[in-house]
Amino acid sequence: MATFNLLLLPGDGIGVETMVEVERIIDFFNRSGRATFNTQSDLVGGAAYDAHGVAITDAAMDKAQKADAVIFGSVGGPKWADVPYAVRPEAGLLRLRKDLGLFANLRPAICYPALADASSLKRELVEGLDIMIVRELTGGVYFCEPKEIVTLENGEKRAIDTQIYTTSEIERIAKAAFDLARKRGNKVHSAEKHNVMRTGVLWKEVVTEVHRSYAPDVQLEHILADNCAMQLVRNPKQFDVIVTDNLFGDVLSDEAAMATGSLGMLPSASLGAVDATTGKRKALYEPVHGSAPDIAGKGLANPIATIASFGMALRYSCDMGAEADLVDQAIAGVLAAGYRTGDIMQSGMKQVGTAEMGGAILDELKKLAG
Ligand code: IPM
Ligand code: MG
């Protein structure tokens, strides 16, 4: 039986509660004999800062490097608003992405039929929506140097962030997008701002070339990132795969997520390159939502995005596509049966907390798995 080593990093806020529900699902798969998951846990974000004065320790990074997959909860909260910039909770997540080389961030935006009315967009615009945003995750303006605030001679301050992209960085993310499109709707929109940014000019050039030489069978459209933002609320179903840089991907993926009804629903996968010798790739799975400090610790959080993130780990790190499908079906089934956490509550539905939602998904999973 296949064995996988998982590192669980629940982090802060609701990440702690939602990870408990993932552990119940992992236990189920272990007991049912479908695979052996060995789990370890560690601290990240504010929790790591409180214990060790850093957003993630070298020891935790070492575990992450060795794991088959990292399952991440969420980081941050008002408690750490004033900690030094270098050790703020988000720095833990950024270090994981950078040091593990997780350049490809897959953010599906799927509208579950049961939730089409929860979207701020009209039902007909979002019903059946299924988009995959492929965000470049280790380059661009979030990481490049110089990145600083300097004081000028006249006493004024000047802040600098730097956006750099190289051919190879764009090539590998474009290939990831074309590969995914082939398994879906076979269409890629590449979003950049070549009208004002040199990185946008190169982005467009390289994506065009990768398309020509690597994926002429896939339909490619170039779109300006601002137009993409507009089209996502005008007619989101025109999209299949959207590939874009780190900054635009951060923004567009939140927008696409909200179109589906709730940020609380959506998982993501961050993948590194495939190692030529082992055939494995580093990977981290996390919900798109944040730590939601306002409801943390109250048992109210929606665990679906974190559970679905584990589902993505089954698919992309464990080659357990059938089990990943089961997890997705269990979530859809529970929603169709009327279970709702507060963030997606609708009249006439059954409002439940984190543990009840997790339990309902587990029961459904047991039924489906037979
Ligand atoms: C995300 C988040 C992160 C990002 C933060 C927490 C650093 O917004 O994963 O989208 O900006 O990438
Ligand atoms: Mg974001």
Side-chain angles (χ1 to χ4, degrees), residues 57-109:
T57 61
D58 291 344
M61 282 305 303
D62 194 51
K63 289 184 197 167
Q65 291 283 4
K66 291 182 178 135
D68 291 302
V70 178
I71 316 290
F72 188 97
S74 53
V75 287
K79 183 177 175 199
W80 303 283
D82 296 322
V83 307
Y85 188 76
V87 292
R88 71 201 187 286
E90 291 77 7
L93 179 57
L94 294 175
R95 180 172 176 200
L96 281 158
R97 290 174 179 171
K98 192 70 181 175
D99 288 9
L100 298 183
L102 308 174
F103 68 90
N105 183 217
L106 279 41
R107 298 196 162 184

Side-chain angles (χ1 to χ4, degrees), residues 75 90 93-94 97 107 135 137 142 246 250 254 286:
V75 287
E90 291 77 7
L93 179 57
L94 294 175
R97 290 174 179 171
R107 298 196 162 184
R135 167 186 175 193
L137 201 61
Y142 289 14
N246 202 342
D250 190 16
D254 268 25
E286 58 170 319

Side-chain angles (χ1 to χ4, degrees), residues 284-299:
L284 179 146
Y285 300 87
E286 58 170 319
V288 170
H289 64 67
S291 60
D294 51 323
I295 57 161
K298 297 182 182 160

